[in-house]
Amino acid sequence: MSIFYDGCFENEEWRLNHLYFIATKSQGVIRFKMNKHQLKMYRGLHTRNAVLKARQLGMSTFTSILFLDRCIFNNGTSAGIIDRTADEAEEKIAKIKLAYECWQNPPDNAYDHVKDPEDREKLKMFTQNLLLHGVQASFTKSSVDFTNGSKIRSGLTLRGQ
């Protein structure tokens, strides 16, 4: 593997900004890249985080992608999303499902952000090597179960099991 990608597998911030895709209203499916609000939250995370009334800052998208990444790369991880309505909670699982499916079947524009053809091929190879990591997911409307023992749940309330 290229020295350009050495250490990226272990670098969560790099993975978040390079490996996942989201749907937008105006641009369709695009690569996720943390905005300044998401980056500030990411760098200040602790064990319990609450985001109150953060409209249009992308916090629900950020937490959805973060939970997906942590569940894939950390065996036995549990994550929970509490939302205002059941429909809104299910929308977060749908975001996670889209990002997971795009990781396995990247959209046509997946590598357009990499201008150098050699680096584009290296990123494609790197992504394929990550797929060999082999964590599979099964989805319901309100949860995701991973083959490595990780799980994401969403709902109006969450209780330990």
Side-chain angles (χ1 to χ4, degrees):
M1 196 174 303
S2 163
I3 197 159
F4 183 77
Y5 295 103
D6 282 353
C8 293
F9 184 82
E10 296 85 14
N11 185 324
E12 182 180 71
E13 186 173 330
W14 186 92
R15 291 191 316 259
L16 291 171
N17 284 309
H18 289 87
L19 298 181
Y20 300 99
F21 292 85
I22 58 171
T24 67
K25 293 175 186 172
S26 60
Q27 297 174 292
V29 176
I30 62 167
R31 181 173 303 281
F32 174 77
K33 182 165 178 57
M34 285 186 272
N35 65 35
K36 66 181 182 179
H37 306 287
Q38 295 161 339
L39 188 60
K40 182 177 180 181
M41 182 169 175
Y42 175 74
R43 291 187 175 159
L45 284 175
H46 53 87
T47 56
R48 298 192 197 294
N49 302 277
V51 178
L52 305 174
K53 293 188 174 241
R55 299 281 181 217
Q56 303 303 313
L57 298 179
M59 289 301 159
S60 65
T61 299
F62 164 70
T63 54
S64 297
I65 299 298
L66 178 66
F67 288 174
L68 173 61
D69 186 81
R70 288 195 173 172
C71 284
I72 287 173
F73 288 92
N74 299 285
N75 297 344
T77 297
S78 294
I81 300 169
I82 300 172
D83 222 317
R84 196 170 53 108
T85 68
D87 287 343
E88 289 174 354
E90 290 172 4
E91 286 174 14
K92 305 315 181 282
I93 296 297
K95 288 179 187 214
I96 292 167
K97 185 175 183 182
L98 173 76
Y100 177 81
E101 290 174 347
C102 286
W103 193 43
Q104 298 203 331
N105 298 300
D108 292 339
N109 67 349
Y111 305 103
D112 290 355
H113 69 291
V114 181
K115 301 302 178 206
D116 181 89
E118 186 177 322
D119 281 345
R120 189 177 304 121
E121 285 306 311
K122 289 176 187 173
L123 181 57
K124 284 180 187 178
M125 287 175 47
F126 179 77
T127 303
Q128 289 304 311
N129 286 336
L130 284 178
L131 289 174
L132 297 177
H133 189 60
V135 176
Q136 300 297 309
S138 69
F139 291 83
T140 68
K141 286 184 174 184
S142 61
S143 68
V144 188
D145 288 302
F146 297 89
T147 55
N148 67 355
S150 293
K151 182 171 186 152
I152 303 171
R153 295 183 300 147
S154 70
L156 303 177
T157 63
L158 296 173
R159 291 182 174 238
Q161 293 181 348

